[in-house]
Amino acid sequence: MSLMIEIRKVQTIGGHRTSHFIKSKTDAVIDAENLMLLPALIDPHVHFRVPGGEYKETWATGAAAAIAGGVTTVLDMPNNSPACSTKERLLAKIDLIEAELKAAKLPIRYGLYLGADRRHLNEMAASKKQIVGLKIYMGSSTGDLLMNDRSSLDEAFQIAAKNDILVAVHAEDEALIQHNRKKYADRADAAVHSLIRDPAVAAKAVHLAIELAKQHGTRLYIVHTSTREELSLIRQAKKEGLPVYAEASPHHLFLNTGLYSKLSTRALVNPPLREEKEADALWEAINDETIDTIGTDHAPHTLEEKNAPYGTAPSGFPSIELYLPLLLNACAQGKISLETIVSLTHTRPQEIFRLPLNDDVVLVDLNKVKTVDNKSLKTKAKWSPYEGMELKGWPRYTILRGEIYDC
Ligand code: NCD
Ligand code: ZN
Ligand code: ZN
């Protein structure tokens, strides 16, 4: 007889109570009387900082944080040092990840993006079996990846289409950022970040990315959309039948420019925090399926780095272990259904990135109320912009490759 985990009396989205079985290396029973069964989450956008940023996060700490949040698949970005923009660096990165996960005994599932670099576009086709997509930074963010000239963009979109490679874009227009930086040169407060990288900066880049996708027939994934204008462009592209997909990140759904007065440079992120009305547009776009996925953009930096003056402090928030609690809390508030959460965090990312199916699950306690506490976070960065927030709905067990992990 094969060995099984039996999850007894668990609640499912359909409202049934049932026993759910998962193949395992040992027999085990979980009494899940007060728990809800969901497919484990996929996070299509993380920065686990290997190689070069191990003091911020490693795959041991990143995987522990992910699993504690009900996530069993992560897609990791290429803005490492050195940037992951060649096949050789990609293979070296895979070796490092495998060794770290093995030592930590945390066999999380993962996929990697190749970074677009105009000097290395010939690496795309050679790397296509190892990657989930090409990541293009149309505007600068953490790291030195930037590709914003029209001819390189044309070439990358064309090669990607020819090789059936998904193109993921950080869509902010670099020239407009530079222009605004001069315009606001007399300001040194963190809130100026949202003016320098204003909604027009994002819209201009999204407009160009969609134009290129349309011209070359490229599958396009727009990461961390954050404004009404971007979403209108994406909605229109979808109406035209273009293979254009949109991601939203938790900080643009649950935080806004009000946070600068409390966190100052710690509130910096790219694209920046927006006014509350932009979050309203994101929620509308979740409900009409213009937004396909939620990617946390888990971007750990140390508190020391984040507390530096504007201009020096890096942008980005750790958040992966709060991905599911933030969404479950929104569900408790009636803003989103469990079905939509599953679509955004599991079904759509699985389809868009063509990931193999698996039987990983997360058991959640929809009634558990807990306050976010930096000290209990597993990310190496040990902080989050959600500190002090009371959330209702937390994961209890994550089951990854037939192993049970306490959350
Ligand atoms: C990310 C990081 O730190 O790696 N920062 C951020 O503000 N989002 C990079 C990125 O996703 O743009
Ligand atoms: Zn980005
Ligand atoms: Zn990112």
Side-chain angles (χ1 to χ4, degrees):
M1 235 189 65
S2 63
L3 302 172
M4 289 284 178
I5 296 171
E6 180 183 358
I7 305 167
R8 276 194 194 142
K9 293 190 228 163
V10 73
Q11 202 174 321
T12 62
I13 287 190
H16 308 289
R17 288 204 166 279
T18 174
S19 269
H20 183 84
F21 296 89
I22 295 175
K23 267 206 203 112
S24 173
K25 288 198 195 79
T26 49
D27 272 323
V29 175
I30 298 176
D31 174 7
E33 178 89 58
N34 297 307
L35 302 177
M36 165 75 69
L37 181 82
L38 300 176
L41 284 75
I42 297 165
D43 187 345
H45 186 163
V46 307
H47 301 270
F48 279 2
R49 305 302 189 203
V50 173
E54 289 84 351
Y55 69 98
K56 300 176 198 256
E57 196 79 282
T58 64
W59 280 76
T61 53
I67 293 166
V71 178
T72 65
T73 305
V74 294
L75 307 186
D76 187 59
M77 289 295 172
N79 59 334
N80 308 116
S81 2
C84 189
S85 52
T86 67
K87 181 163 184 187
E88 194 184 339
R89 289 181 187 172
L90 187 68
L91 295 178
K93 179 171 171 175
I94 292 171
D95 284 346
L96 289 171
I97 294 171
E98 291 293 329
E100 285 187 24
L101 293 181
K102 197 166 169 215
K105 297 200 171 69
L106 295 173
I108 195 164
R109 301 172 200 272
Y110 66 92
L112 302 177
Y113 294 88
L114 183 74
D117 176 335
R118 57 173 71 78
R119 293 161 305 172
H120 296 305
L121 293 179
N122 56 334
E123 301 274 338
M124 288 171 61
S127 310
K128 71 178 174 188
K129 289 211 167 57
Q130 276 85 23
I131 59 174
V132 290
L134 177 78
K135 174 67 182 293
I136 302 181
Y137 284 85
M138 300 174 77
S140 54
S141 190
T142 302
D144 55 14
L145 284 171
L146 173 66
M147 199 177 81
N148 60 334
D149 66 287
R150 184 61 191 254
S151 72
S152 304
L153 288 170
D154 261 313
E155 199 180 334
F157 272 73
Q158 188 175 28
I159 299 172
K162 200 169 131 212
N163 288 280
D164 197 21
I165 296 171
L166 180 86
V167 168
V169 290
H170 175 117
E172 289 190 290
D173 186 84
E174 184 64 17
L176 212 43
I177 294 172
Q178 297 303 346
H179 172 85
N180 290 341
R181 213 170 255 154
K182 285 196 199 101
K183 183 166 154 196
Y184 295 107
D186 58 329
R187 285 188 49 174
D189 59 311
V192 74
H193 199 59
S194 291
L195 303 176
I196 293 174
R197 295 176 180 254
D198 71 356
V201 165
K204 192 167 177 208
V206 165
H207 186 271
L208 174 57
I210 291 174
E211 188 182 310
L212 291 165
K214 188 172 176 171
Q215 186 184 337
H216 298 289
T218 319
R219 299 175 73 233
L220 175 65
Y221 181 76
I222 300 166
V223 304
H224 47 42
T225 58
S226 58
T227 62
R228 183 175 294 277
E229 228 177 310
E230 287 168 279
L231 294 163
S232 311
L233 295 167
I234 293 164
R235 198 173 278 120
Q236 180 57 35
K238 288 187 176 215
K239 264 199 199 122
E240 290 175 32
L242 298 174
V244 172
Y245 313 105
E247 172 193 276
S249 298
H251 42 275
H252 295 126
L253 289 165
F254 300 110
L255 305 174
N256 58 53
T257 46
L259 205 64
Y260 286 119
S261 62
K262 195 173 140 204
L263 293 188
S264 181
T265 50
R266 260 187 280 166
L268 296 174
V269 66
N270 299 330
L273 295 179
R274 305 293 189 190
E275 286 172 23
E276 207 171 343
K277 62 174 199 263
E278 307 290 353
D280 296 339
L282 259 58
W283 285 106
E284 285 165 27
I286 280 179
N287 288 316
D288 75 6
E289 298 178 10
T290 301
I291 288 174
D292 296 276
T293 68
I294 310 273
T296 62
D297 191 11
H298 176 79
H301 298 285
T302 67
L303 267 181
E304 201 186 345
E305 291 171 318
K306 292 292 286 183
N307 287 334
Y310 186 70
T312 307
S315 290
F317 301 141
S319 58
I320 196 165
E321 50 214 290
L322 303 170
Y323 179 22
L324 183 54
L326 286 164
L327 289 172
L328 293 177
N329 187 62
C331 177
Q333 293 171 340
K335 282 185 113 164
I336 187 170
S337 67
L338 282 177
E339 285 87 345
T340 303
I341 293 177
V342 170
S343 170
L344 291 163
T345 65
H346 175 77
T347 318
R348 293 298 289 139
Q350 190 271 325
E351 291 168 354
I352 293 167
F353 293 95
R354 299 173 178 160
L355 303 173
L357 292 166
N358 63 60
D359 57 3
D360 296 348
V361 298
V362 55
L363 297 173
V364 302
D365 181 346
L366 293 176
N367 293 311
K368 179 173 173 172
V369 177
K370 201 174 89 178
T371 301
V372 177
D373 170 18
N374 283 349
K375 285 193 300 296
S376 62
L377 295 176
K378 292 189 162 61
T379 171
K380 202 168 193 173
K382 285 283 172 205
W383 74 279
S384 93
Y386 304 99
E387 165 85 351
M389 230 184 233
E390 189 184 86
L391 302 176
K392 183 175 181 183
W394 289 81
R396 177 77 186 81
Y397 301 106
T398 300
I399 301 179
L400 160 66
R401 300 183 199 271
E403 284 279 346
I404 305 168
Y405 297 84
D406 266 314
C407 293

